[in-house]
C-alpha cells in the first residue's frame, strides 16, 4: 500500500548561523507532558539537499503534525559539517526541546554536544548513522545495513544459478561503518570470505556516480570478465552501468545495490540494476518523533537499536529469496 505523506505544516524561521538553517514547524498543540506549551522536538540532518534527508524531514514533519508537537529542523551546509550540527544542538537545547533526532556528520566529534544535551534532560536519538560510541546517544533508529547487504548477496548468489562468479565491489570509503556493514553483508549473503578468489576487484567510490563509473572502468581493465557487481548505493551502481554500457557489457553483468531511492528503484524497473535493498528514512524520523512524544508524556526513554526495516526490491525474483517488485518499491521510495 502506498504511503502518502502530505506536508501541510507551516514553516517559520527560528535561528540561523553561517553553517546551518534552523526552522520550526507544527500546530503548537499543548501537552504531551509539556509544562503549558507545545512539546518541542528537534531534527538535525547532515544536509538539507540530499533526497534521503529531505524524505526524513517529511516523515518528521508529518509525525509532528499528527502528534501536535513543535518540530525544529536544522542541517549543515555540507556532508561533514560537524560544527554546524554542534551549533544546532546547542540552539535546540536553549530553545527547550524535549528530544533531538540527529544524523551525525561526524560520529565521534558530535559526542560532547550530545552528552551536554543529555545532561540537561534532552532525549537524543541517532538516525541512520550511529554515534561513536553508539551509546553516546540514547538510541539508534536505523536500517540494518548488514541485513541490507545480506539480502542482495543472497539474491546475487541465487541469480547466478551456479555460474562461476567474478565479482567487483564498489564500496564507500575506509572506516565508514555503513559501507563496511553493507560490504560484509553482501559477502555473507553470497557465501564467500573476504579473500575468496571470486572477488577480483574492489574500489572505493564515496557513493558518487562519477566515481562509481571510474571505479568500474578500473575494475574492467583489471578483470574484463567481471559478471557480478556489488555497489554501496544506487548512484555508484548507475556509474557502474555507464561504464559497462560503454563496453557493451550492460546486459551480461548482474548489478546489485542498496538504498531504494526513487531514481535507483526506477533503474531496477528499467533493468539497469537487478535488485536493491530498500531502506526507509521517513520511517526513521517518524518513529523518532513518536519516541520523543512518549518521553514527554510519561518519561519512557527509547534505548538501544531499533531496526527501521529493509526490503529487497526486484522485478526479476530469484528462487528462495523473498522480494517485492518495483511497484512496491516506487510506492515506498524517496527522492
Amino acid at each position: 500500500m502506498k504511503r502518502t505523506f502530505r506536508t501541510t505544516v507551516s514553516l517559520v524561521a527560528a535561528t540561523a548561523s553561517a553553517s546551518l538553517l534552523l526552522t520550526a514547524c507544527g500546530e503548537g498543540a499543548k501537552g504531551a507532558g509539556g509544562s503549558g506549551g507545545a512539546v518541542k522536538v528537534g531534527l538535525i540532518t547532515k544536509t538539507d539537499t540530499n533526497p534521503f534527508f529531505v524524505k526524513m524531514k517529511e516523515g518528521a514533519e508529518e509525525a509532528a503534525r499528527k502528534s501536535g508537537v513543535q518540530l525544529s529542523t536544522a542541517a549543515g551546509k555540507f556532508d561533514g559539517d560537524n560544527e554546524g550540527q554542534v551549533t544546532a544542538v546547542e540552539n535546540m537545547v536553549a530553545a527547550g526541546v524535549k528530544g533531538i533526532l540527529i544524523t551525525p556528520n561526524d560520529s565521534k566529534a558530535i559526542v560532547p554536544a550530545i552528552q551536554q544535551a543529555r545532561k540537561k534532560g534532552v532525549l537524543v536519538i541517532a538516525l541512520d548513522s550511529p554515534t561513536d560510541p553508539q551509546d553516546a546517544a540514547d538510541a539508534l533508529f536505523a536500517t540494518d545495513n548488514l541485513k541490507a547487504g545480506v539480502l542482495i548477496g543472497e539474491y546475487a548468489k541465487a541469480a547466478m544459478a551456479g555460474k562461476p562468479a567474478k565479482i567487483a565491489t564498489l564500496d564507500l570509503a575506509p572506516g565508514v561503518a555503513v559501507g563496511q556493514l553493507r560490504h560484509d553483508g553482501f559477502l555473507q549473503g553470497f557465501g564467500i570470505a573476504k579473500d575468496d578468489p571470486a572477488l577480483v576487484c574492489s574500489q572505493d567510490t564515496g557513493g558518487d556516480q562519477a566515481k562509481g563509473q571510474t571505479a568500474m572502468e578500473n575494475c574492467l581493465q583489471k578483470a574484463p570478465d567481471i559478471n557480478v557487481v556489488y555497489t554501496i548505493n544506487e548512484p555508484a551502481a548507475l556509474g557502474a552501468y555507464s561504464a559497462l554500457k560503454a563496453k557493451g557489457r550492460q546486459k551480461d553483468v548482474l548489478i546489485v545495490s542498496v538504498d531504494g531511492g526513487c531514481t535507483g528503484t526506477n533503474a531496477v524497473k528499467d533493468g539497469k540494476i537487478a535488485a536493491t535493498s530498500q531502506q526507509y528514512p521517513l520511517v526513521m524520523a517518524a518513529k523518532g518523533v513518536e519516541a520523543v512524544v512518549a518521553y514527554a508524556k510519561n518519561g519512557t526513554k527509547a534505548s538501544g537499536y531499533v531496526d527501521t526495516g529493509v526490503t529487497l526490491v526486484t522485478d526479476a525474483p530469484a528462487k528462495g529469496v523473498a522480494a517485492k517488485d518495483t511497484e512496491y518499491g516506487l510506492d515506498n521510495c524517496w527522492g
Side-chain angles (χ1 to χ4, degrees):
M1 182 174 67
K2 183 172 182 177
R3 293 190 182 101
T4 303
F5 293 85
R6 288 174 290 184
T7 306
T8 57
V9 292
S10 60
L11 300 175
V12 295
T15 306
S17 74
S19 60
L20 60 88
L21 174 66
L22 181 63
T23 60
C25 62
E27 297 184 344
K30 292 179 182 280
S35 55
V39 170
K40 298 177 180 179
V41 182
L43 171 68
I44 304 170
T45 53
K46 292 182 180 181
T47 71
D48 58 6
T49 55
N50 186 312
F52 187 90
F53 301 122
V54 172
K55 182 58 68 173
M56 186 176 282
K57 182 177 175 181
E58 289 178 10
E61 288 173 340
E62 179 68 6
R65 185 191 66 79
K66 288 181 177 179
S67 300
V69 300
Q70 182 178 332
L71 178 72
S72 296
T73 64
K77 284 190 172 180
F78 55 89
D79 196 331
D81 180 15
N82 180 68
E83 183 179 348
Q85 290 196 320
V86 169
T87 302
V89 170
E90 293 170 348
N91 287 342
M92 288 179 177
V93 171
V97 296
K98 193 67 176 178
I100 293 174
L101 315 174
I102 184 168
T103 59
N105 265 321
D106 188 317
S107 296
K108 289 185 178 180
I110 195 63
V111 167
I114 288 175
Q115 290 174 332
Q116 288 300 313
R118 292 179 68 188
K119 285 179 181 178
K120 294 182 180 180
V122 176
L123 180 71
V124 180
I125 298 174
L127 303 182
D128 183 48
S129 303
T131 53
D132 186 5
Q134 185 172 314
D135 62 5
D138 289 287
L140 169 65
F141 289 12
T143 303
D144 184 337
N145 283 291
L146 182 70
K147 181 180 178 181
V150 168
L151 286 174
I152 57 171
E154 291 175 341
Y155 174 84
K157 180 70 172 180
M160 289 299 287
K163 182 180 177 181
K166 298 290 185 180
I167 303 170
T169 68
L170 304 191
D171 300 305
L172 187 58
V176 181
V178 169
Q180 193 63 52
L181 286 167
R182 293 181 184 182
H183 174 98
D184 292 349
F186 170 79
L187 298 186
Q188 180 180 322
F190 204 91
I192 56 176
K194 62 182 180 180
D195 57 353
D196 193 288
L199 289 171
V200 296
C201 186
S202 292
Q203 296 268 311
D204 292 328
T205 68
D208 178 77
Q209 184 165 340
K211 291 179 180 177
Q213 181 170 345
T214 299
M216 190 72 250
E217 290 167 350
N218 292 338
C219 283
L220 287 171
Q221 288 181 355
K222 180 180 179 182
D225 57 347
I226 287 167
N227 54 13
V228 177
V229 178
Y230 152 83
T231 68
I232 178 63
N233 65 4
E234 291 142 6
L238 289 170
Y241 177 84
S242 295
L244 289 164
K245 186 176 181 180
K247 295 289 187 181
R249 297 286 317 283
Q250 75 274 20
K251 292 184 179 180
D252 57 27
V253 177
L254 184 79
I255 302 176
V256 293
S257 194
V258 179
D259 261 357
C262 295
T263 298
T265 304
N266 272 309
V268 175
K269 184 178 180 180
D270 294 341
K272 296 177 180 179
I273 302 172
T276 193
S277 286
Q278 185 171 64
Q279 57 178 338
Y280 304 105
L282 190 149
V283 175
M284 295 176 197
K287 285 185 176 292
V289 171
E290 291 167 5
V292 176
V293 171
Y295 176 54
K297 282 183 175 180
N298 54 36
T300 301
K301 274 192 173 185
S303 62
Y305 169 64
V306 176
D307 183 357
T308 53
V310 62
T311 306
L312 184 73
V313 174
T314 182
D315 284 337
K319 186 177 180 180
V321 183
K324 299 285 189 180
D325 62 17
T326 55
E327 181 178 359
Y328 173 91
L330 290 170
D331 280 348
N332 293 280
C333 67
W334 41 270

